[in-house]
């Protein structure tokens, strides 16, 4: 159980937040120094968000080494809960229906990433 929690909180959620911050900076630079359209920015952010959540769920399950669906689901749920909490606190707005479907997609991506991550081959300590 300790490995599961460490995988989810340490590796999964941590990597998601770091990658989201880095990709937000990349998108901000692209928006500032190119003439990228808003529609293209939305599509890139959607694809990046789903990919990053899938990677975070995969990493959490890989490091947790058990119950990939639970590791990925918990990772996605913690991240989505943090996003909803930030929106409610800082923007004084509840989640709209399009955002709810987006958050649902993020949860599914992390969940599936967890299922894949727990089944990834492990490196053995000593090769024979």
């Amino acid at each position: 159980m300790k490995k599961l929690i460490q995988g989810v909180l340490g590796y999964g959620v941590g990597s998601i937040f770091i990658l989201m911050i880095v990709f937000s900076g990349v998108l901000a630079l692209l928006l500032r120094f190119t003439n990228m359209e808003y529609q293209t920015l939305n599509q890139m952010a959607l694809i990046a968000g789903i990919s990053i959540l899938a990677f975070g769920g995969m990493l959490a399950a890989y490091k947790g080494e058990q119950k990939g669906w639970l590791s990925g689901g918990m990772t996605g749920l913690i991240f989505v809960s943090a996003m909803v909490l930030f929106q409610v606190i800082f923007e004084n707005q509840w989640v709209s229906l399009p955002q709810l479907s987006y958050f649902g997609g993020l949860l599914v991506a992390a969940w599936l990433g967890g299922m894949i991550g727990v089944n990834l081959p492990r490196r053995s300590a000593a090769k024979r």
Side-chain angles (χ1 to χ4, degrees):
M1 186 66 160
K2 184 179 178 184
K3 272 189 150 182
L4 179 77
I5 300 298
Q6 182 182 8
V8 168
L9 293 178
Y11 292 101
V13 176
S15 67
I16 288 172
F17 278 118
I18 289 170
L19 289 173
M20 283 290 191
I21 289 170
V22 167
F23 195 75
S24 294
V26 169
L27 283 181
L29 289 173
L30 284 174
L31 193 60
R32 172 72 174 102
F33 294 113
T34 65
N35 51 359
M36 181 184 293
E37 294 180 14
Y38 184 72
Q39 185 66 25
T40 308
L41 180 72
N42 275 343
Q43 290 172 353
M44 286 180 65
L46 175 69
I47 292 168
I50 289 172
S51 303
I52 290 170
L53 262 289
F55 177 76
M58 191 182 328
L59 189 60
Y62 182 77
K63 293 295 185 177
E65 297 180 358
Q66 59 183 345
K67 298 180 184 170
W69 62 273
L70 184 61
S71 297
M74 284 174 48
T75 301
L77 191 63
I78 290 170
F79 179 77
V80 167
S81 298
M83 293 298 103
V84 169
L85 189 64
F86 286 148
Q87 179 174 338
V88 168
I89 290 173
F90 295 119
E91 293 183 16
N92 293 327
Q93 260 184 340
W94 287 101
V95 178
S96 65
L97 190 60
Q99 283 178 317
L100 197 59
S101 64
Y102 174 68
F103 289 152
L106 292 179
L107 281 171
V108 169
W111 182 57
L112 290 173
M115 288 182 194
I116 293 168
V118 77
N119 292 310
L120 288 175
R122 308 257 178 248
R123 280 197 245 163
S124 60
K127 291 188 177 187
R128 297 177 184 190

